[in-house]
Amino acid sequence: MIPGVSVEVGPAAVVLVGERPLRVLSSAVVRGGFTEARAIVNLHVHKNDPCLDPAAMIDAFARRAGVPAPWIGLLTGALTERARVGHAATEGYRALAVTTVGLSNLVSAGHSPIAVSRHSTINTVVVVDADPEPAALVNAVITVTEVKGLALRTAGLVMPDGAGVSGTSTDAVAIAATGRGPVARFGGPASPLGWVVARAARAALEPAIRDWQERKG
């Protein structure tokens, strides 16, 4: 979908690699924040793994798998081989989304008490073939989060007390940009960039959530 960006899905991890460094904003546990990276690694971990040193875990996998540096890293207890991919395009903008979904620690943000951190989580990575300003990347993170909340509500998920579900206690988002193509000042749903981000994220999140529900039944 996006030239120069590859996606590999497997039981050990989901790995996205750019031919050239990507400009990334993320909440990744390893090298999160604003940075440049050749790769984004979403590593599967066992539910009982204490994950005492996430950086060492990500780095060990990346070096073993030959992932080009620098990379950012996310951890998940969800089955990475069941990741879902979505894409969208409009007005010169293109977006590719990849998500892994585990829903065993749902929360209602602002309503639930402070949650225990667990490995089951919703990790969503979106790559845009565009040149967004920093604020547009922040806006795109918000857009993905809005799509996630809507997808969970559409799936009929609620907390035991009936409160709406906003996600899990350990969700992560990464937005990466190739730096090519049109400049984007905004990344909200009303902008062309935000529209393709939202469409791609929805195309990945909705089937991933359904898949988890069907398997856990």
Side-chain angles (χ1 to χ4, degrees):
M1 179 61 191
I2 297 181
V5 177
S6 66
V7 180
E8 182 176 345
V9 174
V14 175
V15 182
L16 291 88
V17 176
E19 288 182 350
R20 296 183 177 182
L22 302 166
R23 192 165 69 252
V24 187
L25 171 62
S26 79
S27 60
V29 67
V30 178
R31 303 184 183 100
F34 279 104
T35 191
E36 284 195 349
R38 279 288 309 283
I40 301 171
V41 177
N42 184 14
L43 183 69
H44 174 73
V45 295
H46 191 272
K47 65 179 181 179
N48 295 321
D49 193 318
C51 298
L52 298 178
D53 192 346
M57 297 170 69
I58 296 289
D59 290 358
F61 167 80
R63 296 181 192 281
R64 185 170 65 249
V67 177
W71 49 72
I72 70 167
L74 303 88
L75 300 177
T76 181
L79 298 177
T80 50
E81 67 267 30
R82 302 193 75 89
R84 293 295 185 269
V85 179
H87 53 81
T90 187
E91 297 182 33
Y93 294 92
R94 290 180 288 189
L96 166 71
V98 186
T99 191
T100 53
V101 169
L103 302 177
S104 62
N105 57 332
L106 294 172
V107 295
S108 179
H111 178 82
S112 300
I114 294 177
V116 176
S117 177
R118 298 189 178 96
H119 299 335
S120 184
T121 189
I122 303 172
N123 286 345
T124 305
V125 178
V126 180
V127 181
V128 295
D129 200 15
D131 186 17
E133 295 182 4
L137 287 175
V138 175
N139 216 173
V141 169
I142 297 171
T143 297
V144 170
T145 304
E146 291 174 350
V147 171
K148 178 193 68 177
L150 180 59
L152 291 167
R153 291 193 293 275
T154 299
L157 292 162
V158 295
M159 301 298 291
D161 62 1
V165 168
S166 59
T168 82
S169 62
T170 53
D171 293 349
V173 178
I175 307 291
T178 63
R180 302 179 305 222
V183 174
R185 185 179 179 189
F186 304 107
S191 68
L193 179 68
W195 189 88
V196 294
V197 166
R199 295 282 289 189
R202 179 184 175 190
L205 279 160
E206 288 187 344
I209 291 168
R210 285 196 303 271
D211 177 65
W212 191 91
Q213 290 178 302
E214 290 168 0
R215 286 186 290 112
K216 301 299 181 179

